[in-house]
Amino acid sequence: MDYIIWILLGIALFILFIAIAVNKTSGSDDTTPTGYRPHQQKSEYYPLPPQINDEPILSTHARERMEQRLGIYSSQQEEMMQRAFKYGRTSNRSTGDLKAKLESTEDKYDEPTVAKFYNGAIFIFSEEDNVLKTVYKYDPNRYLN
């Protein structure tokens, strides 16, 4: 019985030495990391094309303004933003006072924006990355600023 334990111990040590030897020969010098396999590395990396973001993003400020000005909360905000982004009327599809209000609202911001009228409110999206910046309730009886 005692000799079986010595045989198993010898086999375990033999396997350990082989594993150490294989691991040491995988790196050719001390500067290569352990486990580095050149055949696993790609020789050239190509940059990925930029992803186009067609989905609008709801900012924290816009979320607060939707609660304050429109009385819309939580998941309804995301749904309303999606609809306004998709179906909202822009200034080039509007006439009269609404067109003037949409254009003047777009001109208020330093960066390019798109104002969309939907469901009695004006939604201001940034043109570059479709972030909903803020929301105004549209009152047609109010004078233009």
Side-chain angles (χ1 to χ4, degrees), residues 71-95:
I72 298 173
Y73 299 91
S74 64
S75 64
Q76 293 176 343
Q77 292 175 336
E78 187 77 29
E79 190 176 317
M80 178 71 87
M81 178 195 60
Q82 294 283 346
R83 288 182 183 163
F85 185 75
K86 189 172 183 179
Y87 302 114
R89 188 185 304 173
T90 57
S91 60
N92 60 356
R93 291 180 37 216
S94 304
T95 59

Side-chain angles (χ1 to χ4, degrees), residues 2 16 35 45 48 74 80 85 96 98 101 106 112 131:
D2 213 19
L16 180 66
Y45 293 97
L48 295 174
S74 64
M80 178 71 87
F85 185 75
L98 178 59
K101 182 63 176 173
E106 288 175 346
V131 174

Side-chain angles (χ1 to χ4, degrees), residues 93-113:
R93 291 180 37 216
S94 304
T95 59
D97 290 342
L98 178 59
K99 179 180 179 89
K101 182 63 176 173
L102 290 173
E103 288 174 348
S104 70
T105 304
E106 288 175 346
D107 293 338
K108 286 182 182 179
Y109 295 92
D110 295 335
E111 65 178 299
T113 57

Side-chain angles (χ1 to χ4, degrees), residues 1-9:
M1 184 77 167
D2 213 19
Y3 65 90
I4 294 176
I5 294 175
W6 284 107
I7 292 174
L8 290 175
L9 183 63

Side-chain angles (χ1 to χ4, degrees), residues 10-26:
I11 292 172
L13 285 172
F14 180 73
I15 292 173
L16 180 66
F17 287 135
I18 290 175
I20 291 172
V22 168
N23 199 13
K24 289 227 183 227
T25 59
S26 66

Side-chain angles (χ1 to χ4, degrees), residues 36-95:
Y36 173 75
R37 306 265 191 303
H39 64 277
Q40 292 177 342
Q41 302 294 322
K42 292 184 178 179
S43 59
E44 293 183 34
Y45 293 97
Y46 298 102
L48 295 174
Q51 292 188 354
I52 299 171
N53 185 11
D54 289 339
E55 292 295 316
I57 300 167
L58 184 60
S59 69
T60 305
H61 178 77
R63 187 177 295 277
E64 292 169 358
R65 293 304 153 261
M66 287 177 90
E67 288 177 9
Q68 177 188 18
R69 297 173 180 160
L70 304 178
I72 298 173
Y73 299 91
S74 64
S75 64
Q76 293 176 343
Q77 292 175 336
E78 187 77 29
E79 190 176 317
M80 178 71 87
M81 178 195 60
Q82 294 283 346
R83 288 182 183 163
F85 185 75
K86 189 172 183 179
Y87 302 114
R89 188 185 304 173
T90 57
S91 60
N92 60 356
R93 291 180 37 216
S94 304
T95 59

